[in-house]
Amino acid sequence: MLAKLAGSGHAPNAQRLAENIERIETLGHRLMAAFAERNLPNPGVAGPGPDFYMTATNAFLKTLTEQPGKMIETQVSYWGETLSNYARAQKALASGQLTAPEDDTPADKRFANPLWTTHPYFNLIKKQYLTNAKALKEAADGLQLSDEVARRRLKWLTNQIVDMMAPTNFLATNPDALEKAIETEGESLVRGLENLVRDVEQNGGEMIVSLADRKAFAVGENIGTAPGSVVYRTRLFELIQYAPSTDKVHALPLMIFPPWINKFYILDLKPQNSLIRWLVDQGQTLFIVSWKNPDASFSEVGLEDYVTAYQEAIDKVLELTGQSKVNAVGYCIAGTTLSLTLALLKQRGDTRINSATLLTTLTDFSDQGEFTSFLQDDFVSGIAEEVQRHGLMRAQLMSRTMSFLRANDLVWGPAIRSYMLGETPPAFDLLFWNGDSTNLPGRMAMQYLRGLCQENAFAGEGFELMDHKLRLTDVTVPICAIACEGDHIAPWKDCWRGVAQMGSEDKTFILSQSGHVAGIVNPPNRVKYGHYIGDSDFGGGHQRWRDSATFTEGSWWPHWGEWLAQRAGTMVAARDPGEGLEPAPGIYVHERAG
């Protein structure tokens, strides 16, 4: 076959094409073998349960019966717009000029290629896709549903279908991919298949697109490099103390609890955006917890174990520094757990935590926001089945759930670049960290989903933990809470609502621009995102607070640094962590989810 192609009039191209065909065949066998490694699928976490579809079907029948004219009008409008799209494209083609009709569709980065506007074929495909999307969304919005939860779920599922069916997601209707394939004589498609095989092999048969080049970074070498030592280790965590960069430090140590959904080095990606290095430069004796990436042997580890770990870590910090109090920081789920710990310590009369900082922290889950679809009984029961089977809420499930909250940015866009254009994932430290996911212990995951998210017990009747019933009003230490305006994981209004219910008399709330990570990792050395600081009146609702807040350009770090300094005691000689057990960032941070 190779000789036959090589003997044609275009021997170099034919040779290359034949080689690519052979590579595709080999990669196809590898792909099938990789898919064979996949665990049996769990329908409970693949989509809504039967009750949801029955609710949607009943709503459709009810709307059709009670408002037939409205549904017919919607259908006729859709037909009319579809025929109009076709007629305009046919006219452009019949004219003998390869030009598209006038295009007034809204800007969309998926359709950046000029051919979407200038070529009749691609322009028709785009316009008809947008017509279909509009029709689907209007049909879903027009159904007479029984409650707001069902409406949110239907809207989310409709958006997922619309995003999935975008013409950019298919080779035959993606001009960028077609042009690239022609330019490279099919090489781009072969590289894309190689990328697909790599991702499926790396994820145990699951197709999870790589967001970043994993070879570009190494924790402890070019990210996560702040100097320090592991000074304590347990089965659940390592305690890292960072080396001082000033001669004098504040007397009270600062303790950071990062989320165990991801790894702590998000706060120490590069020296220029490292919150860890910045805090050390402010004269803080800084400690941080690096959590164990659990395996199935951690299946019975619960929130009570994490709360106990908080207390154990704090005790060790106080022992090492000779102090009786510590200032504590909790990020995301670790902030939620810090709030539970504060409530527990209050009930026990324990005053070892002097103040608390909560970064993008939810404590009142009465509005489930974009997670509504994932926090209903059908999906949570599916997770319970996963936990029963594996002992864990596995990292792949968590990553997939988070990614589909922003499917175009975190699923379809990266898949197009990797699988259809054959591009290497970018060397982007933030996306590298995002892909370095962790497992969650099964017991802890279900406590969080059932007791905190679904029942909202901490903001309601009380969350039962360690023989105590913990409530938000039990949190009475000085609080500084930072939320992010564009956060889709922990919406700022929900963060604000939880802080408003806390019993602390000294409460500060800072609203940063941008999202869940970029709004927090926002160093003062670049003026990119600003922040809002309002008064201490939490009685008038989140919007009133926002309307009266003052906007400041740049990072919120300096304002928080001043807040901490006022609560960190006098200056004392800097504390050297010594060699400890081993250098930072320790060993737990290198453990990958299996």
Side-chain angles (χ1 to χ4, degrees):
M1 179 178 179
L2 288 176
K4 181 179 179 181
L5 288 170
S8 66
H10 302 281
N13 293 349
Q15 178 78 20
R16 188 175 181 185
L17 179 60
E19 291 172 353
N20 283 339
I21 290 172
E22 289 190 359
R23 289 165 64 191
I24 288 172
E25 185 175 356
T26 300
L27 288 167
H29 289 307
R30 281 180 56 193
L31 183 61
M32 292 302 101
F35 276 133
E37 297 298 317
R38 184 186 180 198
N39 288 309
L40 290 174
N42 178 359
V45 295
D51 289 348
F52 168 78
Y53 291 108
M54 183 62 70
T55 297
T57 301
N58 289 339
F60 173 78
L61 294 174
K62 178 179 175 65
T63 305
L64 180 62
T65 302
E66 297 181 1
Q67 301 181 36
K70 180 180 178 181
M71 296 196 75
I72 292 173
E73 181 182 353
T74 300
Q75 188 66 30
V76 169
S77 175
Y78 168 71
W79 289 343
E81 193 167 338
T82 297
L83 290 173
S84 178
N85 290 339
Y86 173 76
R88 285 195 294 265
Q90 180 67 14
K91 181 179 179 181
L93 289 169
S95 68
Q97 297 180 351
L98 203 61
T99 57
E102 184 177 345
D103 189 339
D104 58 355
T105 55
D108 188 323
K109 64 183 180 181
R110 292 175 296 178
F111 304 117
N113 190 305
L115 289 175
W116 290 112
T117 303
T118 61
H119 195 290
Y121 169 73
F122 289 112
N123 185 255
L124 172 61
I125 289 170
K126 180 186 76 168
K127 285 185 176 177
Q128 190 57 43
Y129 165 71
L130 295 176
T131 297
N132 293 343
K134 177 185 175 185
L136 279 172
K137 291 179 180 180
E138 287 181 351
D141 289 342
L143 292 183
Q144 298 183 48
L145 290 160
S146 56
D147 56 68
E148 184 60 26
V149 169
R151 183 165 300 284
R152 283 188 179 186
R153 298 194 82 188
L154 182 62
K155 181 177 181 179
W156 179 85
L157 184 59
T158 302
N159 288 336
Q160 293 299 316
I161 294 171
V162 167
D163 290 344
M164 179 179 64
M165 298 308 296
T168 46
N169 295 340
F170 303 91
L171 176 62
T173 52
N174 186 319
D176 294 300
L178 290 171
E179 287 178 333
K180 188 74 172 286
I182 292 170
E183 289 170 4
T184 63
E185 298 171 321
E187 179 70 20
S188 60
L189 297 178
V190 177
R191 290 198 303 265
L193 185 55
E194 288 175 341
N195 291 341
L196 173 60
V197 172
R198 176 206 63 212
D199 287 345
V200 175
E201 287 179 341
Q202 288 180 352
N203 292 286
E206 299 284 348
M207 193 173 72
I208 301 175
V209 61
S210 293
L211 299 179
D213 183 0
R214 298 217 62 81
K215 297 178 182 178
F217 301 100
V219 181
E221 295 181 18
N222 58 359
I223 54 174
T225 59
S229 301
V230 176
V231 293
Y232 187 63
R233 179 183 292 130
T234 72
R235 180 172 179 257
L236 193 56
F237 69 90
E238 289 179 326
L239 180 64
I240 298 171
Q241 180 180 353
Y242 287 97
S245 61
T246 57
D247 293 332
K248 296 286 187 178
V249 295
H250 292 281
L252 268 64
L254 182 64
M255 173 86 243
I256 297 180
F257 295 101
W260 48 90
I261 291 175
N262 291 99
K263 295 180 180 177
F264 79 89
Y265 63 86
I266 185 59
L267 303 177
D268 186 35
L269 289 175
K270 291 179 287 195
Q272 57 266 36
N273 66 357
S274 170
L275 179 59
I276 286 172
R277 288 177 183 266
W278 184 85
L279 285 167
V280 170
D281 289 343
Q282 307 311 302
Q284 296 288 345
T285 301
L286 183 62
F287 295 81
I288 197 167
V289 161
S290 174
W291 298 105
K292 176 78 173 177
N293 198 344
D295 57 27
S297 67
F298 286 74
S299 62
E300 291 303 313
V301 168
L303 279 170
E304 60 271 24
D305 297 290
Y306 282 93
V307 170
T308 299
Y310 276 43
Q311 296 176 75
E312 187 175 357
I314 290 171
D315 284 344
K316 189 63 181 179
V317 167
L318 298 180
E319 174 191 325
L320 291 170
T321 59
Q323 296 294 311
S324 60
K325 289 180 179 288
V326 63
N327 291 316
V329 181
Y331 190 175
C332 190
I333 190 175
T336 307
T337 308
L338 175 58
S339 301
L340 292 171
T341 304
L342 291 169
L344 177 69
L345 296 182
K346 171 66 176 180
Q347 291 189 16
R348 290 179 172 176
D350 190 323
T351 61
R352 75 184 97 168
I353 297 181
N354 182 61
S355 75
T357 299
L358 305 176
L359 307 179
T360 63
T361 292
L362 292 172
T363 50
D364 181 342
F365 296 85
S366 55
D367 186 342
Q368 296 170 349
E370 294 193 40
F371 283 94
T372 298
S373 293
F374 302 110
L375 290 176
Q376 304 315 304
D377 282 337
D378 51 1
F379 193 78
V380 174
S381 295
I383 294 175
E385 292 175 13
E386 285 281 297
V387 166
Q388 180 106 23
R389 185 187 304 176
H390 303 288
L392 301 164
M393 184 174 178
R394 294 180 298 162
Q396 291 96 331
L397 176 58
M398 178 63 70
S399 296
R400 189 181 71 188
T401 301
M402 294 296 184
S403 293
F404 275 99
L405 293 177
R406 291 292 181 269
N408 285 328
D409 293 330
L410 297 176
V411 180
W412 307 122
I416 290 167
R417 291 189 292 273
S418 186
Y419 304 152
M420 282 203 281
L421 299 178
E423 297 177 358
T424 300
F428 187 9
D429 55 359
L430 181 57
L431 290 179
F432 173 88
W433 166 84
N434 189 70
D436 192 8
S437 300
T438 57
N439 301 314
L440 300 182
R443 175 176 167 79
M444 171 264 138
M446 297 315 300
Q447 286 175 303
Y448 182 81
L449 291 171
R450 297 284 195 202
L452 290 172
C453 296
Q454 285 193 310
E455 298 173 12
N456 196 27
F458 192 29
E461 296 299 317
F463 183 73
E464 294 188 8
L465 195 72
M466 302 171 74
D467 299 322
H468 288 262
K469 186 169 281 193
L470 308 176
R471 298 178 177 83
L472 276 174
T473 51
D474 294 322
V475 179
T476 58
V477 303
I479 294 290
C480 183
I482 296 89
C484 299
E485 197 172 27
D487 194 337
H488 62 283
I489 295 174
W492 80 266
K493 62 182 179 63
D494 301 321
C495 297
W496 187 95
R497 190 173 59 250
V499 172
Q501 296 174 69
M502 291 179 178
S504 308
E505 294 183 3
D506 179 0
K507 291 188 286 193
T508 297
F509 193 86
I510 300 173
L511 178 60
S512 175
Q513 291 182 317
S514 196
H516 191 71
V517 173
I520 297 299
V521 184
N522 181 26
N525 55 24
R526 60 177 186 182
V527 181
K528 190 172 183 180
Y529 305 120
H531 61 281
Y532 299 86
I533 300 176
D535 57 35
S536 57
D537 180 9
F538 286 81
H542 69 274
Q543 193 57 50
R544 177 178 163 185
W545 178 93
R546 170 67 175 76
D547 292 341
S548 64
T550 301
F551 179 75
T552 301
E553 292 283 355
S555 173
W556 55 269
W557 292 8
H559 184 90
W560 177 53
E562 293 176 6
W563 187 91
L564 278 176
Q566 293 169 7
R567 294 160 178 80
T570 59
M571 305 302 289
V572 299
R575 305 170 174 115
D576 189 334
E579 293 185 2
L581 302 178
E582 66 180 276
I587 59 174
Y588 284 175
V589 73
H590 295 293
E591 296 175 344
R592 299 275 296 163

